Amino acid sequence: MKKILFGATATAAAVIAAGTFGVVSANASSPAAAPAAAVRADASNGSLQQSTHLTIEAATKAAQAALKAAEKENQRVSVAVVDRNGTTIVTLRGDGAGPQSYESAVKKAYTAVSWNAPTSELAKRLTNAPTLKDIPNTLFLAGGAPVTAKGAPVAGIGVAGAPSGDLDEKFAQAGVASLGR
């Protein structure tokens, strides 16, 4: 006995049949693919460079140390730690920190790691190079400190929200110092 399919049922059956035959046809006509050979780079020839990065644990430790230093002085701040590429690793927004402090902390950390210098020093450079401030995602206000390993920048810590940049930077430096303990 032959069944005749009508309407949506016929269309669905045709789609399923076409898909099944297409897959079978494609698989049947292609030979078994050999596994791709693993590509290996020879690190001894100088084509690769190893870099140092903060772990999430170290970044969190530094951020917490900076926040605790601020809290000891009754300051309400946000703290950010970014990696060498400026990507945020961790941020902490202290109780009562202003809404602008979060983004400012990230930008200060980014600025510090980008130039491997405290942002208070970088702010002084604006006198001779005022267009530095036009670089996206940077903030040339005191409160950012670089983290270095073997003389190279590996992270930046930014603090924002205290009444002065000097205090922000003092707290950022407390975060950097915690990594040496």
Side-chain angles (χ1 to χ4, degrees):
M1 184 167 161
K2 192 175 191 182
K3 286 189 177 179
I4 300 175
L5 302 173
F6 295 98
T9 306
T11 305
V15 169
I16 291 170
T20 302
F21 289 119
V23 171
V24 171
S25 170
N27 287 336
S29 66
S30 62
V39 177
R40 296 185 182 186
D42 182 4
S44 65
N45 72 7
S47 63
L48 299 177
Q49 183 175 0
Q50 188 173 21
S51 62
T52 304
H53 299 277
L54 284 185
T55 63
I56 186 72
E57 292 83 13
T60 301
K61 176 183 176 179
Q64 288 173 332
L67 187 59
K68 285 180 185 176
E71 288 172 345
K72 284 181 185 176
E73 296 192 29
N74 295 315
Q75 298 302 315
R76 298 177 179 121
V77 301
S78 291
V79 180
V81 181
V82 302
D83 68 10
R84 175 62 187 112
N85 299 317
T87 303
T88 303
I89 301 171
V90 66
T91 55
L92 299 175
R93 185 172 180 265
D95 293 336
Q100 80 292 350
S101 65
Y102 185 88
E103 184 177 345
S104 296
V106 172
K107 287 183 175 185
K108 287 179 182 184
Y110 178 87
T111 305
V113 75
S114 295
W115 280 275
N116 193 25
T119 53
S120 60
E121 292 299 317
L122 296 170
K124 295 174 187 173
R125 294 182 190 176
L126 290 177
T127 304
N128 294 328
T131 57
L132 279 178
K133 69 180 177 354
D134 298 332
I135 297 173
N137 301 316
T138 58
L139 187 58
F140 290 87
L141 297 174
V147 177
T148 60
K150 299 178 184 174
V154 296
I157 301 175
V159 177
S164 77
D166 292 340
L167 284 173
D168 286 340
E169 199 156 308
K170 175 182 172 182
F171 305 143
Q173 291 292 351
V176 174
S178 75
L179 296 171
R181 296 181 208 143

